[in-house]
Amino acid sequence: MHLDIGAALGDDAEPGVDEGDLDDLDEQVAQAHETIAAGRENDDFGYAALNLPEETDTSVIREAVEPVADAEYVLTVGIGGSALGAKTVTAALADDPHRHVILDNVDPEHVERTLSDLPLDDTAINVVSKSGTTAETLANFLVVRAAYEDAGVDWTELTVVTTGESGPLAELVAEHDLPRLPVPDGVPGRFAALSSVGLVPAAILDVDIEGLLAGASAAADGLGPSLYDSPGYAYGAVCYALEEEGAAVNAVMPYAERLEYFAEWFAQLWAESLGKEGRGQTPARALGATDQHSQLQLYRAGPNDKMVTVVRPGERAEVPIPESEHDSLSYFAGADLGQLLDAEYDATVASLAEAGRPAVEIELDELDAEGLGELLYAMEAATVLVGELADIETFTQPAVEWGKRAARGLLSGEETEETKTVAQRPSYRID
Amino acid sequence: MHLDIGAALGDDAEPGVDEGDLDDLDEQVAQAHETIAAGRENDDFGYAALNLPEETDTSVIREAVEPVADAEYVLTVGIGGSALGAKTVTAALADDPHRHVILDNVDPEHVERTLSDLPLDDTAINVVSKSGTTAETLANFLVVRAAYEDAGVDWTELTVVTTGESGPLAELVAEHDLPRLPVPDGVPGRFAALSSVGLVPAAILDVDIEGLLAGASAAADGLGPSLYDSPGYAYGAVCYALEEEGAAVNAVMPYAERLEYFAEWFAQLWAESLGKEGRGQTPARALGATDQHSQLQLYRAGPNDKMVTVVRPGERAEVPIPESEHDSLSYFAGADLGQLLDAEYDATVASLAEAGRPAVEIELDELDAEGLGELLYAMEAATVLVGELADIETFTQPAVEWGKRAARGLLSGEETEETKTVAQRPSYRID
């Protein structure tokens, strides 16, 4: 994996980073790295996430999923960090990503349809909630369980639970003697992809999770006191510097369908970790080349408040574009789809640079287990680094608690301060 | 359908619109409406889009798809406006949205996998390109055609083409005597959902496209010289006013899985129409309640540079949450998933308002054909209105042309000004 920040440097990019300022930035990185290294050393809350590649024991995961290893499908019941990492890994690496189905919303119609589309007797259930109390996950799991019972399928034989040591989910595990995988200590859900939280479906679908962790380990080994030595820190440092110069939006645009969920995972990591105290870039999820026909006009000609992060694998499958009888298509002659996609990628980066819009390129050697592990780890390191540089609390998410309490109050019918605020919220209706 | 702008008004919201300023805004709307009405009257370029509900003849579409009406699947080969509208309609309204598959990217692995997963002899092909020259669409169609031939399936029997009167696709239609549907005159692709560009897959999948157009017509009839009379204009006017006050990001967050693609469609409409001359809100695609566990922290506690648009249907399927043996889940007692989702919605809007972050609510009476038609039309009217208020060229997308020329040059190997710029683009690599 390497990073190319050329199109974010120099006088032309606006916002941009002066090449001469990189050394100052590097001093800040060195300081931040000290904090991060100390946090890792002590396994402090949050920083512990960066130790997962060494700490995660895949044999425990493989053993826990053994009873369901023959299942054709895996249904993950989880939301946010309990779903995005798992989906990112299988979407990128499973032979058939459709075998991993997610219930990460409580839309009744969608839940019903999802369950009726699946062969329940051949579908493992992967329930994930760190606290064991997440309302959406528990409600969905109750519905899922009942659907299995209605279909005459013993859900207890097909379920793997990842949760902490207490809470309703842990009680359920004890009661029904289910395999339980622990959540790692001191790791927020969005940083837990490289643990049981993110790896159970991949293990069931025979993904090389050991290779994934090996790739992450290699990235971890690369972290040091300088941005020049690690793509992860370099990415974080450049994003931070661009944000300071006005890049309020970070559009993340992988040029690979298998990385579409990576953009979702990154968006949570970035937004929930760094969206605090009136700051934090807004991650915009995009996909190349598709979004060239949707978002590129804005990226290139809209406000100078963005950076674009493009990601691509160094190798692609070979699918030749067949010859055509039409002269107007002669420019395809001898090309394949991957060349077209790479041409679009190069053209987009150059077109942004030409318009003075900063772009940062992330190139994986290959989109395999090692390559993905390296990428995920590098992005986590980048996020932690930005949190240090911006001096915010990277590992908490205090702003969502109010809404959780309000929703729970509304559902129970109990009157609380929050439900009163909901009832009295301003209304001005136009029909 | 109605709009509630309460949480975007008042002293607390920042950015916000003063209720007292609505009348001034309404005067601007009245002027803009004159321009829009005149443009519609003359069927001028772009404005013609707002006449589609009256102009689109569904019997022509139904007739064209008749030969493929029995197909189990529809494969749309198109990109940007040639795919997003079609997908939005089937995702929201088809009995089984999975029967509509899209190739809107040239990722070789993805194209290969998609084709190998489909029963080609039972899959209709819907090729859409306004110009008939879109590189990604033509390349994919050449690959698709060859796959059908390899499988011994006569693709000419299964293909419907929507394109203009000239170009490679039109030639192909003539050569192979395929059913061709015209693209409507003077309507940019992103505004063409309510024409053959967006309706062919829906027609094949037996969606009530007549109801969709009827809903759109009703919204069209509601347009008048005041924002107080039409949710579409009101939405556009409030977005414009909020953008002027600093809402650089518009996060669009439907609380319905069936509207996930609506957010994608809207994002193109908004970004490509309004992202010009250094202005234009960045649309952030989100989904409720899922993104409460991903983006809400940022929306509530990050920079004051956003508005959040929430969308929900007035009715939901009934899926009760089964009773549980755990006391800690007693707050679910008697509730169903839809109530939980609506509680999350109310909590999120109130939580944003409580934090002084503007939210705009769009509520559909029902997520049926009429409701969706009304929604799509209202959003198009909103987009056109913002373009007038901001005095920009809503219907063009000049900033993407450079990249298209560059990609074509790169692929053909021809040296052009663009390919030279690509070759010389700045590079600064970190490994």
Side-chain angles (χ1 to χ4, degrees), chain A residues 3-4 95 104 109 113 136 257-258 285 290 344 427-428 430, chain B residues 3-4 95 104 107 109 113 136 258 285 290 344 427-428 430:
Chain A
L3 199 70
D4 198 317
D95 285 339
D104 64 351
E109 210 183 323
R113 179 196 310 263
E136 295 91 336
E257 290 267 344
R258 278 183 174 271
R285 295 163 269 200
T290 310
E344 306 263 10
S427 174
Y428 188 108
I430 294 168
Chain B
L3 198 71
D4 197 318
D95 284 338
D104 64 350
D107 182 318
E109 211 184 322
R113 179 196 310 263
E136 295 91 336
R258 278 183 174 271
R285 295 163 269 199
T290 310
E344 306 262 11
S427 174
Y428 188 106
I430 295 168

PDB file of all heavy atoms in Angstrom, chain A residues 3-4 95 104 109 113 136 257-258 285 290 344 427-428 430, chain B residues 3-4 95 104 107 109 113 136 258 285 290 344 427-428 430:
ATOM      1  N   LEU A   3       0.643   5.791  -0.460  1.00  0.00           N
ATOM      2  CA  LEU A   3      -0.183   6.985  -0.507  1.00  0.00           C
ATOM      3  C   LEU A   3       0.461   7.939  -1.489  1.00  0.00           C
ATOM      4  O   LEU A   3       1.688   8.029  -1.558  1.00  0.00           O
ATOM      5  CB  LEU A   3      -0.144   7.604   0.897  1.00  0.00           C
ATOM      6  CG  LEU A   3      -1.213   8.591   1.294  1.00  0.00           C
ATOM      7  CD1 LEU A   3      -2.536   7.861   1.454  1.00  0.00           C
ATOM      8  CD2 LEU A   3      -0.831   9.229   2.636  1.00  0.00           C
ATOM      9  N   ASP A   4      -0.338   8.648  -2.273  1.00  0.00           N
ATOM     10  CA  ASP A   4       0.217   9.729  -3.081  1.00  0.00           C
ATOM     11  C   ASP A   4      -0.544  11.004  -2.755  1.00  0.00           C
ATOM     12  O   ASP A   4      -1.752  11.093  -2.997  1.00  0.00           O
ATOM     13  CB  ASP A   4       0.135   9.399  -4.572  1.00  0.00           C
ATOM     14  CG  ASP A   4       1.080  10.289  -5.382  1.00  0.00           C
ATOM     15  OD1 ASP A   4       1.129  11.514  -5.087  1.00  0.00           O
ATOM     16  OD2 ASP A   4       1.768   9.778  -6.277  1.00  0.00           O
ATOM     17  N   ASP A  95     -15.667 -15.118  -1.256  1.00  0.00           N
ATOM     18  CA  ASP A  95     -15.880 -15.543  -2.642  1.00  0.00           C
ATOM     19  C   ASP A  95     -17.229 -15.071  -3.141  1.00  0.00           C
ATOM     20  O   ASP A  95     -17.356 -14.609  -4.264  1.00  0.00           O
ATOM     21  CB  ASP A  95     -15.812 -17.082  -2.730  1.00  0.00           C
ATOM     22  CG  ASP A  95     -14.379 -17.563  -2.635  1.00  0.00           C
ATOM     23  OD1 ASP A  95     -13.470 -16.745  -2.900  1.00  0.00           O
ATOM     24  OD2 ASP A  95     -14.163 -18.731  -2.278  1.00  0.00           O
ATOM     25  N   ASP A 104     -29.219  -4.300   9.863  1.00  0.00           N
ATOM     26  CA  ASP A 104     -28.702  -3.185  10.662  1.00  0.00           C
ATOM     27  C   ASP A 104     -29.676  -2.017  10.652  1.00  0.00           C
ATOM     28  O   ASP A 104     -29.294  -0.866  10.766  1.00  0.00           O
ATOM     29  CB  ASP A 104     -27.307  -2.754  10.189  1.00  0.00           C
ATOM     30  CG  ASP A 104     -27.307  -2.213   8.769  1.00  0.00           C
ATOM     31  OD1 ASP A 104     -28.353  -2.324   8.079  1.00  0.00           O
ATOM     32  OD2 ASP A 104     -26.282  -1.684   8.335  1.00  0.00           O
ATOM     33  N   GLU A 109     -40.663  -3.761   7.108  1.00  0.00           N
ATOM     34  CA  GLU A 109     -40.836  -4.422   5.822  1.00  0.00           C
ATOM     35  C   GLU A 109     -39.528  -5.081   5.379  1.00  0.00           C
ATOM     36  O   GLU A 109     -39.522  -6.195   4.859  1.00  0.00           O
ATOM     37  CB  GLU A 109     -41.227  -3.354   4.804  1.00  0.00           C
ATOM     38  CG  GLU A 109     -42.085  -3.865   3.712  1.00  0.00           C
ATOM     39  CD  GLU A 109     -42.333  -2.747   2.730  1.00  0.00           C
ATOM     40  OE1 GLU A 109     -42.493  -1.577   3.158  1.00  0.00           O
ATOM     41  OE2 GLU A 109     -42.349  -3.051   1.525  1.00  0.00           O
ATOM     42  N   ARG A 113     -38.882  -9.040   4.808  1.00  0.00           N
ATOM     43  CA  ARG A 113     -38.465  -9.517   3.489  1.00  0.00           C
ATOM     44  C   ARG A 113     -37.140 -10.282   3.584  1.00  0.00           C
ATOM     45  O   ARG A 113     -36.975 -11.346   2.982  1.00  0.00           O
ATOM     46  CB  ARG A 113     -38.295  -8.339   2.533  1.00  0.00           C
ATOM     47  CG  ARG A 113     -37.834  -8.744   1.133  1.00  0.00           C
ATOM     48  CD  ARG A 113     -37.316  -7.539   0.374  1.00  0.00           C
ATOM     49  NE  ARG A 113     -38.278  -6.469   0.445  1.00  0.00           N
ATOM     50  CZ  ARG A 113     -39.171  -6.218  -0.499  1.00  0.00           C
ATOM     51  NH1 ARG A 113     -39.195  -6.966  -1.583  1.00  0.00           N
ATOM     52  NH2 ARG A 113     -40.007  -5.215  -0.372  1.00  0.00           N
ATOM     53  N   GLU A 136     -32.024  -1.503  18.641  1.00  0.00           N
ATOM     54  CA  GLU A 136     -32.316  -2.015  17.303  1.00  0.00           C
ATOM     55  C   GLU A 136     -31.887  -3.479  17.179  1.00  0.00           C
ATOM     56  O   GLU A 136     -32.591  -4.306  16.603  1.00  0.00           O
ATOM     57  CB  GLU A 136     -31.584  -1.193  16.234  1.00  0.00           C
ATOM     58  CG  GLU A 136     -32.032   0.265  16.121  1.00  0.00           C
ATOM     59  CD  GLU A 136     -31.219   1.185  17.013  1.00  0.00           C
ATOM     60  OE1 GLU A 136     -30.640   0.714  18.025  1.00  0.00           O
ATOM     61  OE2 GLU A 136     -31.181   2.391  16.710  1.00  0.00           O
ATOM     62  N   GLU A 257     -15.690  -2.065  -6.672  1.00  0.00           N
ATOM     63  CA  GLU A 257     -16.989  -2.357  -6.057  1.00  0.00           C
ATOM     64  C   GLU A 257     -16.815  -3.080  -4.727  1.00  0.00           C
ATOM     65  O   GLU A 257     -17.584  -2.890  -3.795  1.00  0.00           O
ATOM     66  CB  GLU A 257     -17.840  -3.218  -7.004  1.00  0.00           C
ATOM     67  CG  GLU A 257     -18.325  -2.475  -8.235  1.00  0.00           C
ATOM     68  CD  GLU A 257     -19.704  -1.848  -8.052  1.00  0.00           C
ATOM     69  OE1 GLU A 257     -20.426  -2.204  -7.113  1.00  0.00           O
ATOM     70  OE2 GLU A 257     -20.054  -0.989  -8.884  1.00  0.00           O
ATOM     71  N   ARG A 258     -15.788  -3.914  -4.638  1.00  0.00           N
ATOM     72  CA  ARG A 258     -15.575  -4.664  -3.397  1.00  0.00           C
ATOM     73  C   ARG A 258     -15.243  -3.764  -2.211  1.00  0.00           C
ATOM     74  O   ARG A 258     -15.247  -4.206  -1.070  1.00  0.00           O
ATOM     75  CB  ARG A 258     -14.434  -5.665  -3.585  1.00  0.00           C
ATOM     76  CG  ARG A 258     -14.853  -6.956  -4.247  1.00  0.00           C
ATOM     77  CD  ARG A 258     -13.672  -7.913  -4.329  1.00  0.00           C
ATOM     78  NE  ARG A 258     -14.074  -9.209  -4.819  1.00  0.00           N
ATOM     79  CZ  ARG A 258     -14.494 -10.206  -4.034  1.00  0.00           C
ATOM     80  NH1 ARG A 258     -14.558 -10.044  -2.731  1.00  0.00           N
ATOM     81  NH2 ARG A 258     -14.844 -11.366  -4.565  1.00  0.00           N
ATOM     82  N   ARG A 285     -19.587   9.446   1.167  1.00  0.00           N
ATOM     83  CA  ARG A 285     -19.343   8.109   0.626  1.00  0.00           C
ATOM     84  C   ARG A 285     -19.576   8.116  -0.876  1.00  0.00           C
ATOM     85  O   ARG A 285     -20.636   8.509  -1.333  1.00  0.00           O
ATOM     86  CB  ARG A 285     -20.300   7.123   1.311  1.00  0.00           C
ATOM     87  CG  ARG A 285     -20.022   6.994   2.789  1.00  0.00           C
ATOM     88  CD  ARG A 285     -21.172   6.359   3.555  1.00  0.00           C
ATOM     89  NE  ARG A 285     -22.108   7.354   4.059  1.00  0.00           N
ATOM     90  CZ  ARG A 285     -22.973   7.129   5.061  1.00  0.00           C
ATOM     91  NH1 ARG A 285     -23.016   5.947   5.635  1.00  0.00           N
ATOM     92  NH2 ARG A 285     -23.789   8.064   5.467  1.00  0.00           N
ATOM     93  N   THR A 290     -18.612   5.191 -10.893  1.00  0.00           N
ATOM     94  CA  THR A 290     -20.036   5.537 -10.888  1.00  0.00           C
ATOM     95  C   THR A 290     -20.286   7.000 -10.523  1.00  0.00           C
ATOM     96  O   THR A 290     -21.018   7.709 -11.218  1.00  0.00           O
ATOM     97  CB  THR A 290     -20.779   4.607  -9.914  1.00  0.00           C
ATOM     98  OG1 THR A 290     -20.409   3.251 -10.219  1.00  0.00           O
ATOM     99  CG2 THR A 290     -22.277   4.765 -10.041  1.00  0.00           C
ATOM    100  N   GLU A 344     -10.295   6.027 -15.965  1.00  0.00           N
ATOM    101  CA  GLU A 344     -11.234   6.946 -15.311  1.00  0.00           C
ATOM    102  C   GLU A 344     -10.639   7.469 -14.003  1.00  0.00           C
ATOM    103  O   GLU A 344     -10.790   8.639 -13.650  1.00  0.00           O
ATOM    104  CB  GLU A 344     -12.546   6.219 -14.987  1.00  0.00           C
ATOM    105  CG  GLU A 344     -13.191   5.533 -16.168  1.00  0.00           C
ATOM    106  CD  GLU A 344     -14.275   6.365 -16.792  1.00  0.00           C
ATOM    107  OE1 GLU A 344     -14.402   7.550 -16.434  1.00  0.00           O
ATOM    108  OE2 GLU A 344     -14.991   5.825 -17.646  1.00  0.00           O
ATOM    109  N   SER A 427     -42.545  22.883  15.125  1.00  0.00           N
ATOM    110  CA  SER A 427     -43.197  22.380  13.918  1.00  0.00           C
ATOM    111  C   SER A 427     -43.687  23.549  13.079  1.00  0.00           C
ATOM    112  O   SER A 427     -44.192  24.547  13.611  1.00  0.00           O
ATOM    113  CB  SER A 427     -44.379  21.486  14.320  1.00  0.00           C
ATOM    114  OG  SER A 427     -45.096  21.101  13.157  1.00  0.00           O
ATOM    115  N   TYR A 428     -43.492  23.452  11.775  1.00  0.00           N
ATOM    116  CA  TYR A 428     -44.012  24.467  10.846  1.00  0.00           C
ATOM    117  C   TYR A 428     -44.263  23.701   9.560  1.00  0.00           C
ATOM    118  O   TYR A 428     -43.337  23.351   8.841  1.00  0.00           O
ATOM    119  CB  TYR A 428     -42.978  25.575  10.636  1.00  0.00           C
ATOM    120  CG  TYR A 428     -43.496  26.760   9.851  1.00  0.00           C
ATOM    121  CD1 TYR A 428     -43.753  27.976  10.481  1.00  0.00           C
ATOM    122  CD2 TYR A 428     -43.720  26.666   8.469  1.00  0.00           C
ATOM    123  CE1 TYR A 428     -44.223  29.071   9.756  1.00  0.00           C
ATOM    124  CE2 TYR A 428     -44.198  27.753   7.758  1.00  0.00           C
ATOM    125  CZ  TYR A 428     -44.452  28.950   8.398  1.00  0.00           C
ATOM    126  OH  TYR A 428     -44.908  30.026   7.687  1.00  0.00           O
ATOM    127  N   ILE A 430     -45.853  22.555   5.903  1.00  0.00           N
ATOM    128  CA  ILE A 430     -46.290  23.031   4.584  1.00  0.00           C
ATOM    129  C   ILE A 430     -46.803  21.844   3.798  1.00  0.00           C
ATOM    130  O   ILE A 430     -46.084  20.858   3.602  1.00  0.00           O
ATOM    131  CB  ILE A 430     -45.129  23.725   3.847  1.00  0.00           C
ATOM    132  CG1 ILE A 430     -44.744  25.009   4.594  1.00  0.00           C
ATOM    133  CG2 ILE A 430     -45.511  24.042   2.394  1.00  0.00           C
ATOM    134  CD1 ILE A 430     -43.460  25.639   4.145  1.00  0.00           C
TER     135      ILE A 430
ATOM    136  N   LEU B   3     -44.247  18.821   4.327  1.00  0.00           N
ATOM    137  CA  LEU B   3     -42.918  19.206   4.763  1.00  0.00           C
ATOM    138  C   LEU B   3     -43.066  19.839   6.134  1.00  0.00           C
ATOM    139  O   LEU B   3     -44.036  20.543   6.388  1.00  0.00           O
ATOM    140  CB  LEU B   3     -42.421  20.269   3.772  1.00  0.00           C
ATOM    141  CG  LEU B   3     -40.949  20.572   3.700  1.00  0.00           C
ATOM    142  CD1 LEU B   3     -40.224  19.396   3.054  1.00  0.00           C
ATOM    143  CD2 LEU B   3     -40.719  21.825   2.840  1.00  0.00           C
ATOM    144  N   ASP B   4     -42.110  19.564   7.016  1.00  0.00           N
ATOM    145  CA  ASP B   4     -42.095  20.308   8.273  1.00  0.00           C
ATOM    146  C   ASP B   4     -40.733  20.956   8.430  1.00  0.00           C
ATOM    147  O   ASP B   4     -39.714  20.272   8.516  1.00  0.00           O
ATOM    148  CB  ASP B   4     -42.416  19.394   9.464  1.00  0.00           C
ATOM    149  CG  ASP B   4     -42.812  20.198  10.695  1.00  0.00           C
ATOM    150  OD1 ASP B   4     -42.154  21.228  10.968  1.00  0.00           O
ATOM    151  OD2 ASP B   4     -43.786  19.821  11.358  1.00  0.00           O
ATOM    152  N   ASP B  95     -42.246  -5.470  -6.144  1.00  0.00           N
ATOM    153  CA  ASP B  95     -42.508  -6.481  -5.124  1.00  0.00           C
ATOM    154  C   ASP B  95     -41.202  -7.094  -4.649  1.00  0.00           C
ATOM    155  O   ASP B  95     -41.002  -7.324  -3.473  1.00  0.00           O
ATOM    156  CB  ASP B  95     -43.413  -7.584  -5.692  1.00  0.00           C
ATOM    157  CG  ASP B  95     -44.847  -7.114  -5.793  1.00  0.00           C
ATOM    158  OD1 ASP B  95     -45.197  -6.154  -5.073  1.00  0.00           O
ATOM    159  OD2 ASP B  95     -45.614  -7.689  -6.593  1.00  0.00           O
ATOM    160  N   ASP B 104     -23.650  -0.300 -13.274  1.00  0.00           N
ATOM    161  CA  ASP B 104     -23.364   1.127 -13.442  1.00  0.00           C
ATOM    162  C   ASP B 104     -21.917   1.425 -13.064  1.00  0.00           C
ATOM    163  O   ASP B 104     -21.590   2.514 -12.605  1.00  0.00           O
ATOM    164  CB  ASP B 104     -24.339   1.998 -12.652  1.00  0.00           C
ATOM    165  CG  ASP B 104     -24.228   1.781 -11.146  1.00  0.00           C
ATOM    166  OD1 ASP B 104     -23.536   0.842 -10.716  1.00  0.00           O
ATOM    167  OD2 ASP B 104     -24.845   2.560 -10.394  1.00  0.00           O
ATOM    168  N   ASP B 107     -16.128  -2.044 -13.058  1.00  0.00           N
ATOM    169  CA  ASP B 107     -15.221  -2.896 -12.291  1.00  0.00           C
ATOM    170  C   ASP B 107     -15.288  -4.311 -12.896  1.00  0.00           C
ATOM    171  O   ASP B 107     -16.336  -4.953 -12.865  1.00  0.00           O
ATOM    172  CB  ASP B 107     -15.677  -2.907 -10.834  1.00  0.00           C
ATOM    173  CG  ASP B 107     -14.758  -3.731  -9.960  1.00  0.00           C
ATOM    174  OD1 ASP B 107     -14.350  -4.825 -10.393  1.00  0.00           O
ATOM    175  OD2 ASP B 107     -14.456  -3.288  -8.844  1.00  0.00           O
ATOM    176  N   GLU B 109     -14.257  -7.331 -12.142  1.00  0.00           N
ATOM    177  CA  GLU B 109     -14.658  -8.446 -11.300  1.00  0.00           C
ATOM    178  C   GLU B 109     -16.154  -8.397 -11.020  1.00  0.00           C
ATOM    179  O   GLU B 109     -16.844  -9.423 -11.033  1.00  0.00           O
ATOM    180  CB  GLU B 109     -13.887  -8.325  -9.996  1.00  0.00           C
ATOM    181  CG  GLU B 109     -13.583  -9.629  -9.359  1.00  0.00           C
ATOM    182  CD  GLU B 109     -12.913  -9.376  -8.028  1.00  0.00           C
ATOM    183  OE1 GLU B 109     -12.092  -8.428  -7.938  1.00  0.00           O
ATOM    184  OE2 GLU B 109     -13.233 -10.109  -7.087  1.00  0.00           O
ATOM    185  N   ARG B 113     -18.916 -11.150 -12.103  1.00  0.00           N
ATOM    186  CA  ARG B 113     -19.698 -11.832 -11.076  1.00  0.00           C
ATOM    187  C   ARG B 113     -21.195 -11.629 -11.303  1.00  0.00           C
ATOM    188  O   ARG B 113     -22.001 -12.558 -11.191  1.00  0.00           O
ATOM    189  CB  ARG B 113     -19.327 -11.305  -9.691  1.00  0.00           C
ATOM    190  CG  ARG B 113     -20.128 -11.944  -8.559  1.00  0.00           C
ATOM    191  CD  ARG B 113     -19.999 -11.125  -7.289  1.00  0.00           C
ATOM    192  NE  ARG B 113     -18.603 -10.866  -7.029  1.00  0.00           N
ATOM    193  CZ  ARG B 113     -17.864 -11.579  -6.200  1.00  0.00           C
ATOM    194  NH1 ARG B 113     -18.386 -12.596  -5.556  1.00  0.00           N
ATOM    195  NH2 ARG B 113     -16.609 -11.263  -6.005  1.00  0.00           N
ATOM    196  N   GLU B 136     -18.620   3.957 -20.296  1.00  0.00           N
ATOM    197  CA  GLU B 136     -18.839   2.852 -19.359  1.00  0.00           C
ATOM    198  C   GLU B 136     -20.003   1.984 -19.816  1.00  0.00           C
ATOM    199  O   GLU B 136     -19.948   0.742 -19.765  1.00  0.00           O
ATOM    200  CB  GLU B 136     -19.146   3.380 -17.949  1.00  0.00           C
ATOM    201  CG  GLU B 136     -18.001   4.139 -17.293  1.00  0.00           C
ATOM    202  CD  GLU B 136     -18.044   5.633 -17.572  1.00  0.00           C
ATOM    203  OE1 GLU B 136     -18.651   6.046 -18.591  1.00  0.00           O
ATOM    204  OE2 GLU B 136     -17.465   6.393 -16.780  1.00  0.00           O
ATOM    205  N   ARG B 258     -36.508   1.086   1.648  1.00  0.00           N
ATOM    206  CA  ARG B 258     -36.929   1.199   0.257  1.00  0.00           C
ATOM    207  C   ARG B 258     -36.548   2.546  -0.363  1.00  0.00           C
ATOM    208  O   ARG B 258     -36.632   2.716  -1.581  1.00  0.00           O
ATOM    209  CB  ARG B 258     -38.445   1.017   0.149  1.00  0.00           C
ATOM    210  CG  ARG B 258     -38.892  -0.430   0.140  1.00  0.00           C
ATOM    211  CD  ARG B 258     -40.407  -0.499  -0.044  1.00  0.00           C
ATOM    212  NE  ARG B 258     -40.862  -1.859  -0.199  1.00  0.00           N
ATOM    213  CZ  ARG B 258     -40.952  -2.493  -1.370  1.00  0.00           C
ATOM    214  NH1 ARG B 258     -40.628  -1.874  -2.481  1.00  0.00           N
ATOM    215  NH2 ARG B 258     -41.383  -3.740  -1.424  1.00  0.00           N
ATOM    216  N   ARG B 285     -25.299  11.126   1.691  1.00  0.00           N
ATOM    217  CA  ARG B 285     -26.299  10.064   1.632  1.00  0.00           C
ATOM    218  C   ARG B 285     -26.309   9.294   2.941  1.00  0.00           C
ATOM    219  O   ARG B 285     -25.275   8.803   3.372  1.00  0.00           O
ATOM    220  CB  ARG B 285     -25.960   9.115   0.474  1.00  0.00           C
ATOM    221  CG  ARG B 285     -26.070   9.808  -0.865  1.00  0.00           C
ATOM    222  CD  ARG B 285     -25.365   9.054  -1.981  1.00  0.00           C
ATOM    223  NE  ARG B 285     -23.984   9.474  -2.133  1.00  0.00           N
ATOM    224  CZ  ARG B 285     -23.249   9.259  -3.239  1.00  0.00           C
ATOM    225  NH1 ARG B 285     -23.769   8.647  -4.265  1.00  0.00           N
ATOM    226  NH2 ARG B 285     -22.001   9.670  -3.294  1.00  0.00           N
ATOM    227  N   THR B 290     -30.076   3.437  10.780  1.00  0.00           N
ATOM    228  CA  THR B 290     -28.709   2.909  10.730  1.00  0.00           C
ATOM    229  C   THR B 290     -27.652   3.983  10.986  1.00  0.00           C
ATOM    230  O   THR B 290     -26.749   3.795  11.799  1.00  0.00           O
ATOM    231  CB  THR B 290     -28.468   2.249   9.357  1.00  0.00           C
ATOM    232  OG1 THR B 290     -29.550   1.344   9.104  1.00  0.00           O
ATOM    233  CG2 THR B 290     -27.161   1.491   9.343  1.00  0.00           C
ATOM    234  N   GLU B 344     -37.197   6.388  16.777  1.00  0.00           N
ATOM    235  CA  GLU B 344     -35.828   6.813  16.453  1.00  0.00           C
ATOM    236  C   GLU B 344     -35.861   8.081  15.601  1.00  0.00           C
ATOM    237  O   GLU B 344     -35.038   8.988  15.757  1.00  0.00           O
ATOM    238  CB  GLU B 344     -35.094   5.715  15.673  1.00  0.00           C
ATOM    239  CG  GLU B 344     -35.095   4.360  16.344  1.00  0.00           C
ATOM    240  CD  GLU B 344     -33.832   4.089  17.114  1.00  0.00           C
ATOM    241  OE1 GLU B 344     -33.052   5.033  17.303  1.00  0.00           O
ATOM    242  OE2 GLU B 344     -33.628   2.936  17.512  1.00  0.00           O
ATOM    243  N   SER B 427       2.915  14.275  -8.154  1.00  0.00           N
ATOM    244  CA  SER B 427       3.026  13.043  -7.376  1.00  0.00           C
ATOM    245  C   SER B 427       3.959  13.257  -6.191  1.00  0.00           C
ATOM    246  O   SER B 427       4.984  13.933  -6.302  1.00  0.00           O
ATOM    247  CB  SER B 427       3.566  11.920  -8.275  1.00  0.00           C
ATOM    248  OG  SER B 427       3.818  10.759  -7.503  1.00  0.00           O
ATOM    249  N   TYR B 428       3.584  12.736  -5.044  1.00  0.00           N
ATOM    250  CA  TYR B 428       4.438  12.791  -3.855  1.00  0.00           C
ATOM    251  C   TYR B 428       4.057  11.550  -3.066  1.00  0.00           C
ATOM    252  O   TYR B 428       3.007  11.480  -2.439  1.00  0.00           O
ATOM    253  CB  TYR B 428       4.151  14.059  -3.050  1.00  0.00           C
ATOM    254  CG  TYR B 428       5.120  14.289  -1.903  1.00  0.00           C
ATOM    255  CD1 TYR B 428       6.099  15.277  -1.981  1.00  0.00           C
ATOM    256  CD2 TYR B 428       5.056  13.514  -0.734  1.00  0.00           C
ATOM    257  CE1 TYR B 428       6.980  15.496  -0.935  1.00  0.00           C
ATOM    258  CE2 TYR B 428       5.930  13.716   0.308  1.00  0.00           C
ATOM    259  CZ  TYR B 428       6.892  14.710   0.208  1.00  0.00           C
ATOM    260  OH  TYR B 428       7.769  14.927   1.259  1.00  0.00           O
ATOM    261  N   ILE B 430       4.235   8.291  -0.506  1.00  0.00           N
ATOM    262  CA  ILE B 430       4.669   7.824   0.816  1.00  0.00           C
ATOM    263  C   ILE B 430       4.332   6.346   0.943  1.00  0.00           C
ATOM    264  O   ILE B 430       3.170   5.964   0.787  1.00  0.00           O
ATOM    265  CB  ILE B 430       3.996   8.638   1.945  1.00  0.00           C
ATOM    266  CG1 ILE B 430       4.476  10.091   1.874  1.00  0.00           C
ATOM    267  CG2 ILE B 430       4.306   8.027   3.307  1.00  0.00           C
ATOM    268  CD1 ILE B 430       3.697  11.045   2.727  1.00  0.00           C
TER     269      ILE B 430
END
